[in-house]
Amino acid sequence: MTYTGGERRRAVTSPVRARRRAVTPEILKHVKGIELRARNLVNTLFTGEYRSVFRGQGIEFAEVREYQQGDDFRAIDWNVSARMAVEVAAVLALAAARHNDRVGALLFADTPEYVVRPAKGRAHALRVIRDLVAFAPRGRGTNLGGALRYAAKLLRHRAIVVVLSDFRAEGWEDAMAQVAARHEVVAITVDDPREYDLPDAGWVELEDAETGQRLLVDTSHGPTRTRIRIAAEKLQQERTRKLVQAGVDRVALHTTVPYGPPLRRAFAERARRLSR
């Protein structure tokens, strides 16, 4: 993605501001650890398949959110979900760098909050990873539709748009379909199994991650756990229906399963399908 003339001047006054914690030695160490863990998968995931998967376009823009909105279950380890989403983004960024393609990122909450403009090279890929780790969102909501529309304005050429989200938001279907009409979209979901099987832990105070509303739940009560599981399964089914209707590729990841094998299988299947 390039900016020239008036576009460059407008970019200076963009409403998206840098919002990340200070880049401390601890954060840099975390980034290095992610790179080391992702390197082997990068070497195997896209070797011989990268071009067929992405049709020679590379990943011009990867849309990522660092944290996951929850189903209001305190038992979910949000750090695990966020860390897996960041590592998946790292794999894609490093793969793009390996093949001399551009990669960028858009991070959002209730509004788009931070943009890393697409560029090439390993140093830039590491910058993307660093900013994902250090990002500190201002907002608490999730406006996926607004983020998709914002991304569509930034994308001047056909690109691969990778969306990492739990998709628990309202009104994003039309925006997703519009982006998919012009670009190739891959939706990657990261779920925690405890969203479906709430542990038997007695009375638990749950807090909504976005509104701060709290609720006491008796997790020892079997029918209550059943209702929660059914509700979570319905949300998943509805999410799948919306993604299928939008015509995007889907990759489902779970926090209890290493992301490497399912990610490899998903992109291998995509490569086979595109080569037909």
Side-chain angles (χ1 to χ4, degrees):
M1 186 187 302
T2 59
Y3 295 86
T4 58
E7 290 180 353
R8 182 179 297 276
R9 288 192 294 272
R10 285 195 298 271
V12 174
T13 58
S14 168
V16 177
R17 305 297 187 195
R19 179 77 173 182
R20 55 184 175 83
R21 300 189 300 270
V23 181
T24 63
E26 181 181 358
I27 286 178
L28 295 178
K29 183 179 179 180
H30 190 184
V31 171
K32 185 63 176 179
I34 290 175
E35 182 194 15
L36 291 174
R37 289 191 296 274
R39 183 182 300 169
N40 182 60
L41 184 59
V42 170
N43 291 338
T44 59
L45 177 59
F46 293 118
T47 298
E49 291 182 350
Y50 182 90
R51 290 301 171 192
S52 58
V53 168
F54 295 114
R55 294 180 178 174
Q57 300 170 81
I59 309 171
E60 286 198 7
F61 201 94
E63 181 196 331
V64 184
R65 53 180 306 216
E66 186 199 1
Y67 66 96
Q68 302 291 316
Q69 177 190 354
D71 232 4
D72 305 342
F73 302 147
R74 178 168 292 183
I76 296 172
D77 187 341
W78 305 115
N79 291 328
V80 172
S81 297
R83 184 165 60 249
M84 177 175 285
V86 170
E87 292 200 10
V88 170
V91 168
L92 299 177
L94 292 170
R98 180 188 177 102
H99 292 271
N100 199 35
D101 285 319
R102 298 186 300 171
V103 63
L106 167 65
L107 294 92
F108 66 95
D110 53 345
T111 61
E113 292 196 1
Y114 189 60
V115 171
V116 182
R117 297 177 185 175
K120 298 179 179 181
R122 176 177 174 274
H124 178 74
L126 291 177
R127 182 260 174 107
V128 170
I129 300 170
R130 181 202 67 189
D131 287 349
L132 289 173
V133 173
F135 177 65
R138 289 190 297 266
R140 299 185 67 182
T142 302
N143 187 353
L144 177 56
L148 289 168
R149 287 187 287 271
Y150 191 90
K153 293 178 181 178
L154 296 179
L155 292 168
R156 298 292 183 179
H157 306 286
R158 186 170 177 82
I160 301 294
V161 180
V162 180
V163 185
L164 287 107
S165 176
D166 55 19
F167 296 91
R168 293 197 178 98
E170 299 294 332
W172 53 265
E173 299 92 329
D174 289 344
M176 177 72 81
Q178 290 169 4
V179 173
R182 295 188 56 192
H183 309 280
E184 294 191 47
V185 179
V186 180
I188 300 180
T189 59
V190 181
D191 292 313
D192 191 307
R194 284 170 291 185
E195 296 180 39
Y196 318 107
D197 294 312
L198 198 64
D200 183 352
W203 284 95
V204 175
E205 184 181 41
L206 308 179
E207 180 178 349
D208 190 301
E210 296 193 344
T211 67
Q213 182 179 357
R214 296 182 178 183
L215 178 68
L216 275 175
V217 176
D218 183 6
T219 63
S220 296
H221 188 240
T224 296
R225 294 201 307 275
T226 298
R227 286 196 298 270
I228 290 174
R229 185 182 69 253
I230 292 174
E233 290 173 350
K234 286 183 178 179
L235 285 174
Q236 263 207 334
Q237 292 168 2
E238 182 67 9
R239 177 183 66 188
T240 298
R241 184 190 66 78
K242 291 178 180 179
L243 291 175
V244 170
Q245 187 173 1
V248 304
D249 282 351
R250 293 165 291 120
V251 181
L253 304 178
H254 296 86
T255 58
T256 55
V257 178
Y259 62 83
L263 196 63
R264 187 182 294 111
R265 286 194 300 270
F267 281 99
E269 172 58 30
R270 175 179 166 85
R272 287 192 296 269
R273 186 176 69 255
L274 295 178
S275 65
R276 294 171 185 168

